Amino acid sequence: MAVLGETEGLNLLSDASKRGSLAFSVEIECPSSALDERLKCAADFIRTGMRMLSGEYPEFVQLREITE
């Protein structure tokens, strides 16, 4: 999350106000192919990690992904 928040050209909104819950969205402010690739890699990293955790702890970890 910190990497996304510090990436110029991205707008990160996150909410971790409830214990055990994390919601976030990322929008590209200044489109570029380099930024697109960086965001895709970050998404793959987060998605893979969450899927692994969900597989190991299905009663405690749920991944819900919304794309537009």
Side-chain angles (χ1 to χ4, degrees):
M1 300 301 292
V3 170
L4 293 173
E6 294 174 5
T7 300
E8 192 172 324
L10 292 181
N11 183 24
L12 172 67
L13 299 173
S14 64
D15 179 9
S17 59
K18 296 179 187 173
R19 184 175 184 219
S21 178
L22 170 64
F24 67 94
S25 66
V26 180
E27 293 181 291
I28 297 175
E29 295 175 337
C30 306
S32 74
S33 59
L35 194 53
D36 285 348
E37 289 304 312
R38 183 176 179 92
L39 191 54
K40 286 177 188 177
C41 288
D44 288 343
F45 179 81
I46 293 168
R47 185 183 301 112
T48 300
M50 293 303 294
R51 282 186 183 154
M52 290 174 68
L53 286 171
S54 180
E56 192 167 336
Y57 304 101
E59 65 278 4
F60 299 110
V61 179
Q62 177 187 23
L63 171 63
R64 185 173 47 201
E65 186 176 357
I66 302 169
T67 59
E68 295 180 23

